[in-house]
Amino acid sequence: MTRIALVREVSPGIAGCELTHLDRTPIDPARAVSQHAEYVAALAEAGCEVRWLAPAPELPDGVFVEDAAVVLDRLAVITRPGAESRRPEVTSVAAALKAFRPLHYIREPGTLDGGDVMLAGRTLYVGETERTNVAGIAQLRDIVAPAGYQVRAVPVHGCLHLKTAVTALGPEVLLINRAWTDATIFEGFQLIDIDPGEPFAGNSLLVDGSVIHAKEFPRTGSRLEAAGFRVRPVVASELAKAEGGVTCCSLIFDP
Ligand code: CIR
């Protein structure tokens, strides 16, 4: 059973992306495409079968497929992204996922971005952000409870999504930027702190024992290695200008 990584190519209109906490700086679409290709190659190296959604050049943020769904072992939740411009992204993601999981939907007035949802063990930690509201979190809780998942809301300050600040490196280990979230919520976890000079380094993607991590954050990469993780650095600087990190560009699940 090969793990699937669902991805979508970078829109040529990526420069028109949503931005919340970053100033707009020029994004080179060709460079973004080649960096994205390296990322996709890293997913394949980690054993994923890569499946491409249909291109959506009219959706500037369509490459950030993580935000459109939360895929769990027996169900998938199709989100209602907090940014209106991103809502059309979910249709194609739902169409791709329906062969694999029963689908549930976040409905108005709820909003939820997949980037705000971090699974650790059987708990979904969900960022309360400009993108994910209380109604969205409550709907998620009701959807996943019958499957045995708990939902815990987590405050996030100063960054886009919960997973900009913290990501799971297994059921008991987290990589975290404590400046952007409340670490006391994660009592009982082993916490690996990012290097303070690399605030965006908290976003990491564990696939099959390797941690895909942005090459731009080598000091945090060394901390991960010192903690015993195998790190697969990928250059991710161009999509970082669109406020995206390594988790954002894929939905990974067992078929
Ligand atoms: C946005 O603001 O929605 C996009 N420009 C970036 C989304 C990044 N996604 C993620 O962190 N999961």
Side-chain angles (χ1 to χ4, degrees):
M1 183 171 67
T2 310
R3 184 164 296 170
I4 291 175
L6 197 61
V7 300
R8 176 165 16 227
E9 67 183 36
V10 179
S11 163
I14 181 77
C17 65
E18 295 284 341
L19 280 180
T20 308
H21 296 276
L22 293 183
D23 291 333
R24 201 167 289 278
T25 52
I27 299 176
D28 179 339
R31 193 176 297 154
V33 166
S34 72
Q35 292 181 0
H36 184 254
E38 184 196 342
Y39 168 82
V40 171
L43 293 175
E45 262 170 44
C48 296
E49 178 193 324
V50 175
R51 298 232 183 149
W52 292 85
L53 292 158
E58 73 289 4
L59 299 173
D61 282 306
V63 66
F64 300 120
V65 294
E66 168 183 61
D67 293 317
V70 177
V71 186
L72 300 172
D73 51 4
R74 283 183 286 137
L75 63 100
V77 182
I78 304 304
T79 67
R80 183 166 179 270
E84 207 167 336
S85 71
R86 301 202 55 194
R87 298 211 177 122
E89 293 174 27
V90 305
T91 312
S92 51
V93 173
L97 289 176
K98 78 169 192 288
F100 300 101
R101 300 286 192 279
L103 302 183
H104 299 256
Y105 289 82
I106 301 296
R107 315 252 181 216
E108 195 178 1
T111 63
L112 185 88
D113 276 15
D116 276 318
V117 181
M118 178 183 77
L119 176 66
R122 297 297 283 187
T123 302
L124 292 166
Y125 293 89
V126 186
E128 287 173 342
T129 63
E130 287 170 46
R131 299 296 177 84
T132 296
N133 66 15
V134 170
I137 297 174
Q139 290 179 31
L140 181 68
R141 180 175 288 117
D142 290 345
I143 291 168
V144 302
Y149 293 94
Q150 293 179 48
V151 165
R152 280 198 72 178
V154 185
V156 175
H157 316 278
C159 65
L160 183 61
H161 287 130
L162 177 65
K163 282 190 282 189
T164 323
V166 57
T167 44
L169 294 168
E172 286 155 13
V173 187
L174 306 177
L175 176 64
I176 187 165
N177 176 348
R178 296 180 199 233
W180 285 343
T181 187
D182 178 3
T184 63
I185 288 180
F186 303 113
E187 206 187 314
F189 283 93
Q190 178 194 342
L191 298 182
I192 302 175
D193 288 285
I194 54 134
D195 181 280
E198 299 175 339
F200 286 92
N203 187 258
S204 67
L205 180 60
L206 179 72
V207 196
D208 195 31
S210 287
V211 182
I212 297 178
H213 194 247
K215 204 172 195 162
E216 291 71 42
F217 310 127
R219 292 198 295 269
T220 302
S222 300
R223 289 184 180 207
L224 292 171
E225 282 170 348
F229 290 96
R230 185 163 13 108
V231 177
R232 168 62 162 96
V234 293
V235 177
S237 55
E238 220 49 41
L239 291 178
K241 298 177 190 170
E243 237 168 325
V246 290
T247 61
C248 318
C249 295
S250 57
L251 281 165
I252 297 175
F253 56 91
D254 291 324

